[in-house]
Amino acid sequence: MSSIKAQREINKAVRHLMDFITTSPIWSPRFDDLMDEFFEPIAKQLEWSVDDVAAGLFEGPCEHMAWDFLIEQMATLDWNDDEPKSAIADYLKNRGWREGPHGRRYLRAFAASEVRFWEVTDVEAGAWIDVRPYGTEDKPIRVIERTASESIAKWTALAARVIPMGSERLFSSALIPLSPEAAPRVLRVIEKAKTDLEVVNEELIKAAKADGITEDVQLNIDEECLIMFQETAFTFWAIDVLRMGDLPPPRMYNTDNEKIVITRYRFPELSDQSIICEQLTNHPAMVKDDEQDTWTWL
């Protein structure tokens, strides 16, 4: 199967998963609760209401970034006392049969993924992005990414999921770039939280030994810090986005100092419609929506 067809299978599977979550009588209410949990610290920091935060994110230019991040959190979140344990597990169990092999494989790998803190070390526009754990000198890994690589610059800090697919790695749909000011602040918050948790962990162990408790009472510090990182990174990113939304829009001019005017062009059909559709479908930069006669230019 060509890489284009494989990507179509993946895109379709992700779209079906999102539709499943937002229409499910089980997962949709939980998704609403999850969004409120993420929005509350942002609202507190900005002294806004939760509804204002939601409106600012979902009605602004970064709507798709906020939506993708939150719905991916919902898809992979484990509910320890429930069966199935996650929305993605529920989807794969009941509707996974409708997806192609690449789509199912991607969803399984996606279910096991986690949002991590990355630093971009190199970029090939339209092809790949090299990343390593933020704040380290580790050897970078290469992630195949054709769309975001057109706009992401070297040394950008990212909160993102890296999905292994055979010998390659892909990003999930949600890429959260953190500003040069926000990234080190996020790292400091997580490092302080880790130090605090280590102190609490030592106290728990000492107390357990004093009480004669032999069971393991240690905290899973790495897991706690990972959860905190996801929420902290989203909070810092969202605050930056919402504060920027309060600024007046930039005025755009060309090199002759003439104001840019938004213009719509319509091209006449110079050939049979079926031939045009075939050309669009076969073009390597176009991705067709199989359920509609629309194409996305990557």
Side-chain angles (χ1 to χ4, degrees):
M1 179 179 287
S2 71
S3 60
I4 294 177
K5 290 185 178 178
Q7 188 61 52
R8 287 176 184 163
E9 279 194 10
I10 292 171
N11 292 345
K12 185 167 69 172
V14 170
R15 187 170 64 250
H16 289 163
L17 172 64
M18 290 183 176
D19 291 342
F20 173 75
I21 291 173
T22 54
T23 59
S24 166
I26 297 174
W27 301 111
S28 181
R30 291 179 175 180
F31 185 35
D32 292 339
D33 293 340
L34 179 75
M35 287 192 289
D36 285 345
E37 288 180 15
F38 271 85
F39 292 160
E40 282 172 2
I42 302 168
K44 183 178 180 181
Q45 183 69 25
L46 294 175
E47 297 183 347
W48 291 13
S49 70
V50 169
D51 289 342
D52 287 341
V53 170
L57 289 175
F58 292 147
E59 295 175 11
C62 296
E63 172 199 4
H64 67 287
M65 299 171 70
W67 177 262
D68 287 348
F69 183 89
L70 292 169
I71 204 163
E72 285 187 5
Q73 291 297 104
M74 183 65 220
T76 56
L77 181 64
D78 280 342
W79 300 76
N80 295 325
D81 299 328
D82 293 351
E83 182 61 39
K85 290 187 177 298
S86 69
I88 197 168
D90 191 11
Y91 179 78
L92 284 168
K93 179 180 178 181
N94 293 291
R95 301 192 186 182
W97 56 267
R98 69 187 292 192
E99 307 299 345
H102 282 80
R104 289 195 300 272
R105 191 164 134 214
Y106 176 85
L107 291 181
R108 293 190 190 101
F110 172 59
S113 69
E114 297 170 332
V115 179
R116 297 284 184 178
F117 202 5
W118 304 100
E119 179 179 48
V120 176
T121 61
D122 203 1
V123 181
E124 178 67 34
W128 48 259
I129 299 175
D130 285 349
V131 296
R132 67 185 177 194
Y134 183 84
T136 73
E137 297 296 328
D138 292 1
K139 182 180 179 181
I141 61 173
R142 179 153 295 175
V143 184
I144 304 302
E145 176 55 54
R146 293 178 175 82
T147 306
S149 60
E150 297 282 0
S151 58
I152 289 180
K154 190 175 180 180
W155 307 125
T156 299
L158 296 174
R161 297 174 186 268
V162 174
I163 315 293
M165 288 290 287
S167 61
E168 295 182 341
R169 298 178 180 89
L170 309 174
F171 284 121
S172 69
S173 299
L175 288 177
I176 297 294
L178 295 166
S179 69
E181 296 78 23
R185 291 171 63 195
V186 170
L187 187 61
R188 287 195 295 271
V189 168
I190 302 306
E191 287 177 342
K192 183 180 185 305
K194 185 174 183 179
T195 300
D196 293 344
L197 286 170
E198 287 171 348
V199 172
V200 171
N201 196 51
E202 291 177 4
E203 293 174 352
L204 284 173
I205 294 172
K206 289 178 182 178
K209 288 180 178 178
D211 293 338
I213 299 173
T214 58
E215 291 85 356
D216 186 3
V217 296
Q218 296 188 66
L219 297 173
N220 189 331
I221 294 176
D222 288 341
E223 183 176 338
E224 293 290 335
C225 287
L226 179 63
I227 294 171
M228 181 172 288
F229 166 70
Q230 296 168 359
E231 297 174 350
T232 304
F234 184 81
T235 297
F236 275 80
W237 170 81
I239 287 173
D240 280 348
V241 167
L242 294 170
R243 281 178 173 164
M244 286 293 292
D246 288 338
L247 299 177
R251 297 181 179 182
M252 300 178 64
Y253 298 86
N254 64 17
T255 54
D256 293 325
N257 203 34
E258 297 167 336
K259 189 175 180 180
I260 300 296
V261 178
I262 304 301
T263 307
R264 174 177 292 181
Y265 284 95
R266 295 184 180 274
F267 296 94
E269 293 184 11
L270 301 181
S271 180
D272 183 81
Q273 184 175 347
S274 62
I275 297 176
I276 296 173
C277 292
E278 182 181 359
Q279 293 289 328
L280 290 172
T281 300
N282 293 333
H283 196 288
M286 306 295 288
V287 176
K288 186 177 187 299
D289 185 332
D290 293 329
E291 297 178 0
Q292 303 179 53
D293 283 334
T294 60
W295 292 263
T296 301
W297 177 27
L298 301 179

